[in-house]
């Protein structure tokens, strides 16, 4: 037997009940879905998002000149699905021994709804929790590659976490959406056609190329000797200037963790920007320097050559695309070979990608973690 549940109905049923039940601390809703472009996907393996190039005027060469026409450049960004699920086992005999603890289908479905919200944010960010016990960032968020979850996963398979996604995952470009594009994690300075190979190459003589750099270096300062720091006003202004110099005229979004929020609140310059010490009384506003501010646990740590730093993405809202193949789907199954047993499950199929890489800048913030 299989029965489908609707999360809204479940939550209505749970409203006003079981208030004495103390749950573990957990994120209960998606922080990022309102700061992305949402597209509902049909029955396809790959969802293609169209992108177009820009056109520029050239100088007329002579009074009488042949027309030299060029085709308009276009391409695609591909979104591939990520399939995730969670199943809970219940036994109808258990309530007889639980001393009235509210362990039931209603509570499990609500809990799975919260877990689905967290999974949505992980897909949008392209991050996951580091489970390597010997790593200096064990238990922290890192960028999810095709083999982070399962080492034997097939690249771009919807199973075993084989599909990179979101802000930090591999994007796919080109006429057929099959050319891999990685988000850069090293700064580009004036006079250099390529990014630096490690952050320490950014020195006092360096000048960030704001029109091209994918990051604001962890040791960036407005002037003087570079210094490894957390989130500062100078870094934030540099990131905003970088996107505005690329003509990103719409809503900008900045994602940070609670550590960077504390750094901002303790920064004397930012306290002045945010109306003196009111920020210490009321907390950070939801908009700062014209950017929507989202505090989320899913911002990853990245290794930039000898140091793990928090890569706080600043991006143009319209350029984070979230594709939905199937919304969270709840089921209750009763297996035929076990007595008094029920399985309560939730599944989802979704994906995300960057539309244009130039619409994303990572502000690198130190948290004191040296790479081993």
């Amino acid at each position: 037997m299989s029965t489908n549940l609707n999360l809204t109905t479940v939550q209505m049923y749970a409203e006003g009940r079981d208030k004495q039940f103390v749950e573990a601390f957990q994120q209960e809703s998606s922080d990022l879905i309102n700061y992305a472009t949402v597209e509902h996907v049909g029955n396809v393996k790959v969802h293609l998002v169209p992108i177009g190039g820009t056109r520029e005027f050239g100088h007329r060469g002579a009074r009488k000149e042949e027309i030299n026409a060029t085709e308009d450049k276009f391409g695609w960004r591909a979104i591939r699905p990520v399939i995730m699920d969670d199943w809970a086992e219940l036994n109808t005999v258990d309530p007889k021994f639980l001393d009235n603890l509210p362990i039931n289908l209603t509570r499990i479905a609500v809990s799975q709804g919260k877990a689905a919200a967290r999974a949505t944010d992980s897909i949008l960010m392209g991050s996951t929790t580091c489970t390597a016990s010997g790593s200096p960032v064990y238990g922290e968020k890192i960028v999810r590659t095709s083999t982070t979850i399962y080492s034997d996963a097939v690249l771009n398979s919807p199973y075993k976490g084989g599909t990179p996604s979101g802000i930090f995952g591999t994007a796919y470009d080109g006429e057929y959406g099959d050319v891999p594009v990685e988000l850069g994690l090293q700064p580009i300075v004036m006079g250099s056609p390529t990014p630096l190979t490690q952050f320490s190459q950014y020195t006092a003589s360096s000048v960030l190329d704001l029109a091209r750099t994918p990051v604001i270096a962890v040791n960036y300062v407005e002037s003087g000797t570079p210094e490894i720091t957390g989130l500062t006003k100078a870094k934030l202004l540099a990131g905003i200037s970088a996107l505005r110099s690329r003509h990103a005229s719409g809503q900008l979004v900045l994602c940070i963790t609670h550590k960077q929020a504390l750094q901002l609140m303790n920064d004397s310059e930012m306290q002045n920007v945010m109306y003196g010490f009111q920020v210490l009384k009321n907390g950070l506003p939801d908009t700062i320097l014209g950017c929507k501010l989202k505090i989320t646990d899913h911002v990853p740590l990245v290794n930039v050559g000898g140091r793990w730093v928090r890569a706080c993405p600043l991006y143009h809202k319209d350029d984070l695309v979230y594709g939905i193949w199937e919304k969270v789907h709840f089921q209750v199954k009763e297996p035929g070979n076990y007595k008094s047993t029920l399985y309560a499950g939730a599944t989802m199929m979704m994906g995300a990608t960057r539309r244009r890489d130039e619409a994303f800048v990572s502000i690198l913030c130190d948290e004191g973690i040296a790479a081993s």
Side-chain angles (χ1 to χ4, degrees):
M1 181 187 74
S2 177
T3 303
N4 295 332
L5 293 177
N6 178 279
L7 181 58
T8 303
T9 303
V10 169
Q11 288 174 327
M12 289 173 61
Y13 176 73
E15 193 69 29
R17 293 166 51 86
D18 304 330
K19 295 298 184 184
Q20 76 279 12
F21 192 88
V22 180
E23 298 184 25
F25 288 125
Q26 59 181 309
Q27 178 187 324
E28 297 186 3
S29 61
S30 174
D31 292 329
L32 296 179
I33 196 169
N34 293 324
Y35 296 91
T37 298
V38 179
E39 297 196 5
H40 293 273
V41 179
N43 297 323
V44 294
K45 289 184 177 180
V46 181
H47 178 62
L48 297 178
V49 179
I51 56 174
T54 59
R55 302 196 64 87
E56 299 291 344
F57 269 59
H59 290 276
R60 180 76 174 259
R63 176 174 173 272
K64 189 175 182 180
E65 183 180 14
E66 288 187 3
I67 294 175
N68 182 20
T70 59
E71 291 186 359
D72 199 16
K73 294 180 180 179
F74 70 95
W76 304 91
R77 275 291 165 102
I79 305 179
R80 293 173 172 84
V82 182
I83 302 176
M84 303 182 75
D85 64 3
D86 176 74
W87 288 87
E89 180 180 318
L90 299 88
N91 193 292
T92 56
V93 176
D94 290 344
K96 306 298 183 184
F97 310 107
L98 290 175
D99 194 21
N100 294 321
L101 278 176
I103 305 296
N104 51 41
L105 284 174
T106 299
R107 182 158 297 282
I108 287 172
V110 171
S111 181
Q112 286 177 332
K114 296 174 183 178
R118 296 192 296 275
T120 297
D121 278 3
S122 73
I123 291 172
L124 281 162
M125 189 66 68
S127 64
T128 190
T129 302
C130 177
T131 57
S133 57
S135 171
V137 292
Y138 172 75
E140 290 282 352
K141 297 297 182 183
I142 58 172
V143 174
R144 182 174 64 83
T145 68
S146 61
T147 55
T148 303
I149 309 300
Y150 290 91
S151 60
D152 63 341
V154 176
L155 177 63
N156 289 326
S157 167
Y159 306 105
K160 296 187 175 182
T163 305
S165 70
I167 296 173
F168 289 96
T170 304
Y172 286 86
D173 209 342
E175 186 175 349
Y176 303 103
D178 58 355
V179 180
V181 180
E182 304 293 342
L183 186 66
L185 292 174
Q186 296 292 354
I188 297 177
V189 298
M190 297 296 292
S192 174
T194 59
L196 304 179
T197 58
Q198 54 186 11
F199 80 91
S200 56
Q201 291 178 313
Y202 182 84
T203 65
S205 60
S206 302
V207 177
L208 273 185
D209 187 338
L210 294 179
R212 295 190 301 136
T213 186
V215 304
I216 305 303
V218 66
N219 59 341
Y220 172 83
V221 292
E222 200 168 9
S223 62
T225 303
E227 178 184 2
I228 295 174
T229 59
L231 184 55
T232 64
K233 176 188 172 186
K235 288 182 179 179
L236 182 52
L237 288 175
I240 294 171
S241 297
L243 289 184
R244 294 307 186 200
S245 71
R246 302 167 199 182
H247 311 291
S249 57
Q251 180 64 65
L252 301 184
V253 180
L254 173 66
C255 299
I256 63 175
T257 72
H258 290 278
K259 292 180 181 178
Q260 284 75 53
L262 183 60
Q263 291 166 353
L264 280 182
M265 292 174 70
N266 287 330
D267 186 283
S268 58
E269 285 191 82
M270 289 307 300
Q271 287 173 2
N272 292 332
V273 170
M274 297 181 291
Y275 312 109
F277 288 91
Q278 283 297 311
V279 67
L280 298 179
K281 177 182 178 182
N282 301 320
L284 290 173
D286 62 359
T287 301
I288 181 170
L289 297 175
C291 302
K292 282 292 183 181
L293 183 65
K294 297 305 298 180
I295 301 176
T296 171
D297 297 330
H298 296 274
V299 179
L301 287 164
V302 298
N303 190 334
V304 289
R307 202 163 193 86
W308 286 93
V309 298
R310 193 73 64 177
C312 298
L314 176 67
Y315 65 94
H316 186 242
K317 176 187 173 184
D318 293 344
D319 284 281
L320 176 57
V321 185
Y322 181 57
I324 301 175
W325 271 257
E326 182 182 63
K327 292 183 178 180
V328 184
H329 180 69
F330 295 88
Q331 285 185 302
V332 178
K333 292 181 179 290
E334 184 178 2
N337 56 334
Y338 289 104
K339 297 179 180 179
S340 308
T341 301
L342 292 174
Y343 293 135
T347 62
M348 58 188 289
M349 186 185 296
M350 302 174 181
T353 192
R354 305 180 301 276
R355 191 194 302 269
R356 298 175 294 182
D357 282 13
E358 60 268 27
F360 293 80
V361 171
S362 298
I363 301 177
L364 305 183
C365 303
D366 185 54
E367 293 189 2
I369 307 173
S372 57

